[in-house]
Amino acid sequence: MYYIPGYIYIYKNMDNSLSLKNTYTKKEILMDNEYLDVVSKILHDGVNILDDDVSKFLHENGFIQNEKEFIETIHDYYDVNDNYLRFIFMPTEGCNFRCTYCYENHENTSKKLDYDAIAQFMQEKVNERNWDKIILNWFGGEPLLKIREIKDFSEKVKPILDGKDVVINIVTNGYNLNEEIIQILEEADVLHYQITIDGDMHDTTRILANGKPTRQIIMNNLKSLKKHEFKSCEIRVNVTDYSSDNNLFYKELFRVIGCDKRFSLDIHKVFESDKFKLDSIDKMDNIYQENMKSANSYGLNIERDRETILQCYGAQKNCYTFRPNQTIVKCTVALDEGWNQIGEIKNHSVIIFEKNGTDCLMNLKPCLRCSNIRNCKRIVCSKEANDIGSCHYAEKNTFDNEQCH
């Protein structure tokens, strides 16, 4: 059977003509009103055989497909991710902060990554093919607690990465990001940062393990970072259902970073976990919009939701996250979930398992007619793909609107 896939948007215009848009290929066609009824029937019932001019035309242009063609389209769209090679290093899962919404357990604090085994594996993967880009991420816990390991390992792998298109970034709470640390990171070619500051509520949500505040030290460290040569720094502001509009914070932040376009702002809605629950998602959504408005009023460089062909790194084929307990995963949120275990380091050698549950594109057959397919999180997030309750299937059998403006 052939159907109009859920990612095809169909609008009925005022004159009963039809505008069709393929949201993957961006191809658009306009069909006269004389085809309204036949397209409507195909949309509702599908076609068994391509034996008329309309169905043949739609098929030739990619607007009706069978299951095999649909699956190929989705794979073709996301296959670009296979051209990226990503290594995520968690030198420690310990942290000097105790954030109220953190999902991590801060375990494996005394264990150490097997850097020799990782370097050997990196060399094998880097030489495997010509990658469009190689990405190294330092993550945690708080990675700056292991700054000496970052420095030493960076020196070890420099010859492996020589001549390659490499991006190295670090996700840090920013508390230890003083002048000396910034210089070490600069020498290690770590030129991209993500630092979280939770606005007016920061010293309530992101405190030290001993309960002391952290915001002012981080703001001072941002001033120091601004003087250095780096390429980007994403300042993440987590909002919950008890955050404020952070107007005073955005005013202060603008005084610190000004119009320096290397800095960007990511206002992020906190997700629930076993350790943190929201009282009202609707309230958080409203607070998020208030934050967007406040940040806009100061002309800050906001990272906005935008269309991307990139899946979450946890769903990408060539992503390897190394934990200090010698396990290898992809997703950095569902660290201990069985489906997320893709390998291990044993006897100082990296072993990658043949099967794991991180492939989001394994079971697409039931999705052909789903009108939510284009915005489906299960295609881009392996954690969502493994949550059987997260599917919001809605069969596409009507036009997307009754009038196109």
Side-chain angles (χ1 to χ4, degrees):
M1 286 291 292
Y2 295 83
Y3 294 98
I4 296 178
Y7 59 76
I8 302 295
Y9 289 174
I10 307 178
Y11 301 97
K12 184 168 72 170
N13 300 309
M14 294 182 67
D15 61 356
N16 283 340
S17 63
L18 295 173
S19 297
L20 287 75
K21 179 178 180 180
N22 186 319
T23 58
Y24 281 120
T25 66
K26 305 305 180 188
K27 187 168 186 175
E28 298 184 42
I29 59 174
L30 180 67
M31 301 187 73
D32 292 339
N33 54 18
E34 63 184 284
Y35 301 109
L36 174 64
D37 291 339
V38 65
V39 173
S40 180
K41 182 172 176 38
I42 293 173
L43 180 62
H44 191 272
D45 300 327
V47 292
N48 190 34
I49 302 174
L50 304 174
D51 58 357
D52 62 272
D53 291 341
V54 174
S55 62
K56 289 178 181 178
F57 171 78
L58 290 173
H59 182 254
E60 289 170 359
N61 286 278
F63 287 89
I64 60 173
Q65 295 179 320
N66 58 28
E67 286 180 349
K68 182 176 181 292
E69 293 165 341
F70 166 75
I71 292 171
E72 288 175 350
T73 298
I74 303 295
H75 275 273
D76 287 347
Y77 186 76
Y78 287 107
D79 273 354
V80 66
N81 296 301
D82 294 348
N83 298 324
Y84 294 86
L85 177 62
R86 185 187 298 266
F87 302 102
I88 302 175
F89 311 110
M90 301 178 71
T92 180
E93 292 176 27
C95 189
N96 51 343
F97 277 29
R98 290 297 180 268
C99 302
T100 57
Y101 46 72
C102 185
Y103 58 86
E104 293 194 35
N105 295 315
H106 307 307
E107 297 175 346
N108 303 313
T109 57
S110 61
K111 298 176 181 179
K112 184 178 180 180
L113 292 175
D114 189 335
Y115 289 105
D116 289 338
I118 294 171
Q120 178 61 37
F121 178 73
M122 285 181 62
Q123 184 161 38
E124 293 170 2
K125 294 301 294 184
V126 167
N127 294 334
E128 192 175 272
R129 53 178 281 197
N130 291 322
W131 302 97
D132 287 354
K133 194 177 295 292
I134 300 171
I135 305 165
L136 277 59
N137 300 94
W138 289 99
F139 196 75
E142 172 46 46
L144 292 185
L145 296 177
K146 301 291 184 179
I147 186 61
R148 184 56 54 185
E149 293 180 21
I150 295 176
K151 180 179 185 298
D152 292 345
F153 185 68
S154 298
E155 292 175 356
K156 179 189 287 288
V157 299
K158 270 190 177 181
I160 298 173
L161 302 172
D162 185 48
K164 310 296 184 182
D165 187 356
V166 180
V167 172
I168 309 177
N169 60 44
I170 187 167
V171 178
T172 171
N173 58 39
Y175 189 81
N176 290 339
L177 195 64
N178 55 39
E179 284 283 354
E180 179 184 359
I181 298 296
I182 295 171
Q183 187 61 44
I184 291 174
L185 292 173
E186 197 171 298
E187 292 171 359
D189 296 324
V190 180
L191 301 177
H192 301 269
Y193 294 82
Q194 179 185 300
I195 300 170
T196 299
I197 313 175
D198 281 356
D200 300 334
M201 298 287 289
H202 180 94
D203 285 334
T204 300
T205 59
R206 298 181 67 82
I207 56 176
L208 287 174
N210 62 13
K212 291 186 177 181
T214 61
R215 172 174 152 172
Q216 195 52 55
I217 289 178
I218 299 171
M219 295 297 283
N220 291 339
N221 289 342
L222 282 181
K223 294 176 184 177
S224 298
L225 180 63
K226 188 178 178 182
K227 302 172 187 175
H228 285 260
E229 296 296 324
F230 67 95
K231 292 187 177 180
S232 71
C233 177
E234 179 184 282
I235 299 172
R236 179 161 168 167
V237 179
N238 289 320
V239 297
T240 68
D241 52 357
Y242 54 82
S243 300
S244 72
D245 64 3
N246 288 318
N247 186 68
L248 293 177
F249 165 69
Y250 295 127
K251 183 177 181 179
E252 179 187 0
L253 183 64
F254 182 75
R255 285 200 299 265
V256 172
I257 65 176
C259 296
D260 191 332
K261 293 302 181 183
R262 295 177 299 173
F263 291 94
S264 62
L265 190 66
D266 176 23
I267 303 174
H268 190 84
K269 290 183 277 190
V270 170
F271 61 84
E272 293 186 311
S273 68
D274 292 340
K275 299 173 65 177
F276 177 79
K277 299 297 181 183
L278 295 160
D279 290 329
S280 173
I281 294 178
D282 288 341
K283 185 177 180 182
M284 180 177 66
D285 290 342
N286 291 334
I287 291 172
Y288 170 83
Q289 294 300 331
E290 292 171 358
N291 271 257
M292 293 290 289
K293 183 177 180 181
S294 295
N296 269 319
S297 70
Y298 293 103
L300 293 167
N301 180 25
I302 302 175
E303 291 284 345
R304 303 178 189 278
D305 291 336
R306 58 189 183 276
E307 183 178 342
T308 175
I309 58 176
L310 292 178
Q311 297 167 300
C312 170
Y313 54 79
Q316 293 178 20
K317 181 178 179 181
N318 301 298
C319 173
Y320 306 90
T321 300
F322 297 92
R323 300 179 65 188
N325 65 357
Q326 311 312 324
T327 61
I328 306 169
V329 298
K330 287 183 185 285
C331 175
T332 56
V333 176
L335 290 172
D336 297 314
E337 296 291 338
W339 58 261
N340 193 31
Q341 310 306 307
I342 68 166
E344 63 181 349
I345 297 179
K346 193 172 183 178
N347 298 325
H348 305 294
S349 295
V350 171
I351 301 170
I352 301 300
F353 305 145
E354 289 186 10
K355 294 182 179 180
N356 61 77
T358 62
D359 185 356
C360 294
L361 306 181
M362 285 190 300
N363 188 27
L364 290 171
K365 282 186 177 181
C367 308
L368 195 162
R369 302 186 70 186
C370 180
S371 61
N372 294 324
I373 185 71
R374 194 60 180 86
N375 298 308
C376 180
K377 291 182 179 180
R378 291 168 63 88
I379 286 182
V380 297
C381 173
S382 55
K383 184 176 183 296
E384 291 282 345
N386 282 276
D387 179 1
I388 59 174
S390 67
C391 180
H392 301 289
Y393 180 86
E395 185 172 290
K396 186 182 187 73
N397 52 30
T398 59
F399 298 130
D400 289 277
N401 73 337
E402 289 300 320
Q403 181 172 306
C404 183
H405 295 284

